[in-house]
Amino acid sequence: MTDEDQELVALIDNELDEERKTRLLARLAEDPALRARYEALRDAGAPIGAAFDTLLAQAPVARLTAALPPETAIRPGPGRFTGMAFPQLAAAFVLGLLAAGVAGWLAFGRPVSDDDDWRAAVVDYMKLYTNDTFAFISPDRQAGAFELSAVAKKVGADLTPERVTLPGLDFKVAFNLAYDGKPLGEIAYVDSTGAPVLFCVTANGEADEPLRSEKRDQFSLASWSRNGRSYLVIGRLPEERVTELGQTLVTRF
């Protein structure tokens, strides 16, 4: 890992002082190559802080589980992540496995069902998330705004810290995924208990649809479509609460 990469990782982990952070964010705004490197490191180390065994136990798809090595130990030594603190190393390691598995699973590994759509995919991978998933994240407003901007460019929505703020939820991170070849942005929050809640946006070209709520497995969903984009709020919350969050967001998107 180069010194520049280590500085980018420190930004991702919110470990830079204000002066270095401001200077690096200014460089990111002006340097597309550096910004691409930042996004690559962020996506490779996006915060999946749950323990490896917990992820395997929670995984909803056997094929995803089978794709993960049955025994993996983290050993110190030289390599790409030399110099990273153990929690960040563990999170990056787990996500490196999980991101590859989920990406392939979203593309071709999911079982097909009657309600097979992008929402069903989100429900399935939401089952991987626990209260530990985002526990290591200490969000910074500047970095969060930059992450939202990167997602906004992919999905074409106006995503800013102010527009995605939700009552009773703490913003944690935003990053890009894809479903069926279309960009899928994920904005992650936690509630007062640490339980994950997601606000997802995909530029899938669907016709406008009003807000509707439903239950799938243990999750409550509120979804709608507008101007060629579809939106979803999902969490292990009462359906009324998720509907309220959806109603707040539908006035903005």
Side-chain angles (χ1 to χ4, degrees):
M1 177 176 285
T2 66
D3 291 343
E4 190 171 74
D5 283 352
Q6 289 185 0
E7 189 173 27
L8 290 171
V9 170
L11 175 64
I12 293 166
D13 293 335
N14 195 24
E15 293 177 349
L16 293 180
D17 59 44
E18 288 301 318
E19 181 180 353
R20 293 176 65 198
K21 183 189 305 176
T22 299
R23 187 168 60 246
L24 183 53
L25 287 171
R27 288 181 60 203
L28 285 166
E30 298 175 356
D31 188 339
L34 184 65
R35 189 161 60 247
R37 183 61 180 154
Y38 168 86
E39 292 175 359
L41 288 169
R42 183 198 59 199
D43 292 345
I48 304 295
F52 185 65
D53 288 342
T54 301
L55 284 175
L56 290 178
Q58 297 274 336
V61 180
R63 183 171 178 177
L64 175 60
T65 303
L68 299 173
E71 294 183 19
T72 308
I74 299 176
R75 298 181 177 86
R80 177 179 176 184
F81 297 104
T82 299
M84 292 179 67
F86 179 77
Q88 286 77 30
L89 176 61
F93 171 76
V94 171
L95 188 75
L97 294 173
L98 183 62
V102 171
W105 166 48
L106 288 176
F108 54 80
R110 296 183 56 254
V112 177
S113 63
D114 290 341
D115 62 352
D116 189 64
D117 60 6
W118 72 278
R119 300 168 190 83
V122 173
V123 169
D124 281 348
Y125 75 69
M126 183 72 172
K127 294 174 185 176
L128 294 168
Y129 292 169
T130 72
N131 284 29
D132 295 321
T133 299
F134 303 105
F136 295 130
I137 304 308
S138 300
D140 170 84
R141 186 173 180 83
Q142 287 179 301
F146 185 82
E147 292 169 358
L148 288 167
S149 176
V151 174
K153 289 177 182 177
K154 290 285 188 179
V155 300
D158 182 14
L159 302 172
T160 64
E162 295 77 17
R163 285 172 62 83
V164 303
T165 296
L166 288 171
L169 299 181
D170 294 328
F171 170 86
K172 284 294 186 175
V173 69
F175 52 90
N176 287 304
L177 297 169
Y179 179 79
D180 196 24
K182 300 176 179 64
L184 171 60
E186 178 175 307
I187 302 167
Y189 310 80
V190 296
D191 68 6
S192 59
T193 70
V197 178
L198 303 182
F199 172 41
C200 302
V201 186
T202 181
N204 57 3
E206 283 191 7
D208 287 5
E209 292 286 347
L211 180 72
R212 65 185 177 95
S213 65
E214 60 181 306
K215 294 284 288 188
R216 297 195 190 186
D217 296 332
Q218 70 267 44
F219 300 105
S220 298
L221 290 73
S223 60
W224 68 101
S225 298
R226 183 176 294 164
N227 297 329
R229 285 178 291 275
S230 294
Y231 302 88
L232 171 69
V233 181
I234 178 173
R236 292 183 179 90
L237 299 172
E239 189 172 350
E240 295 79 7
R241 171 64 172 145
V242 170
T243 300
E244 289 174 359
L245 294 172
Q247 289 170 338
T248 297
L249 289 167
V250 82
T251 65
R252 306 173 187 172
F253 300 96

